[in-house]
Amino acid sequence: HKLNDFRDDVKQLAELITTASMQLYNIVEERFLPTPEKCHYLFNIRDVSKVMQGLYLAQPSLYEEKEHMLRLWVHEVQRVFQDRLIDLSDREKLKLIIEEVLDSAFQLRMKDIVGGDGEDVVFASIVLSNPEAEDPPYDQVTDR
């Protein structure tokens, strides 16, 4: 699998991340049903593959700690699932679901992973000091 090139503590996350992604998907599919005003709340197994595609952008030289990889996982599940949610109430519900899955799968809390008050994390393939850089790494972008 992709994580074979990573440090052992990150490598051990492969199965847990897969299980956590499926668990999160199942909860989201069950709790966020389409309604006339939210007719786009249609989730399917391809959403899990979108999460995995984002994780596959990680490079071993940048993701040396399991917390960094889990921060990327949180970003990817937010990108795939939260970006579809249209109101703050649903977004808050999703954050609680992510918190629940982090606890059950990794025995960690959101603030242990993202710090602060559990704010959204953002990853991108851009070097802010050199936006013209070719093939920039996919890494966390922070607000200064």
Side-chain angles (χ1 to χ4, degrees):
H1 54 76
K2 166 70 175 178
L3 298 184
N4 278 337
D5 297 334
F6 290 75
R7 289 179 32 164
D8 286 343
D9 58 335
V10 175
K11 196 183 308 186
Q12 293 172 356
L13 291 175
E15 191 172 323
L16 291 172
I17 285 175
T18 304
T19 303
S21 299
M22 287 303 302
Q23 180 183 4
L24 184 91
Y25 161 73
N26 288 327
I27 295 170
V28 166
E29 183 184 42
E30 178 183 303
R31 294 192 191 165
F32 294 103
L33 299 172
T35 65
E37 68 178 7
K38 300 174 183 179
C39 58
H40 62 285
Y41 280 23
L42 298 170
F43 302 97
N44 63 55
I45 198 72
R46 285 185 300 235
D47 295 320
V48 175
S49 75
K50 291 176 189 173
V51 171
M52 296 303 161
Q53 284 175 340
L55 294 174
Y56 264 61
L57 296 173
Q59 299 172 2
S61 60
L62 292 175
Y63 295 83
E64 295 183 346
E65 299 173 2
K66 72 177 191 174
E67 288 79 10
H68 198 176
M69 182 60 80
L70 291 175
R71 214 170 10 258
L72 174 60
W73 179 79
V74 168
H75 162 75
E76 292 302 325
V77 297
Q78 287 177 333
R79 181 184 64 79
V80 170
F81 296 106
Q82 181 177 294
D83 285 358
R84 281 197 223 158
L85 305 178
I86 61 171
D87 58 41
L88 290 177
S89 171
D90 285 349
R91 289 173 180 248
E92 288 303 316
K93 287 177 191 172
L94 180 67
K95 283 186 180 183
L96 292 174
I97 293 168
I98 294 170
E99 182 83 47
E100 180 183 319
V101 171
L102 279 170
D103 183 44
S104 70
F106 307 104
Q107 292 74 49
L108 292 168
R109 296 185 332 215
M110 182 80 89
K111 72 178 187 176
D112 298 330
I113 301 300
V114 301
D117 60 358
E119 62 212 31
D120 294 345
V121 291
V122 177
F123 283 71
S125 289
I126 188 168
V127 177
L128 295 176
S129 61
N130 182 11
E132 304 296 322
E134 288 189 33
D135 198 25
Y138 192 59
D139 200 10
Q140 186 170 0
V141 178
T142 56
D143 190 11
R144 297 178 195 195

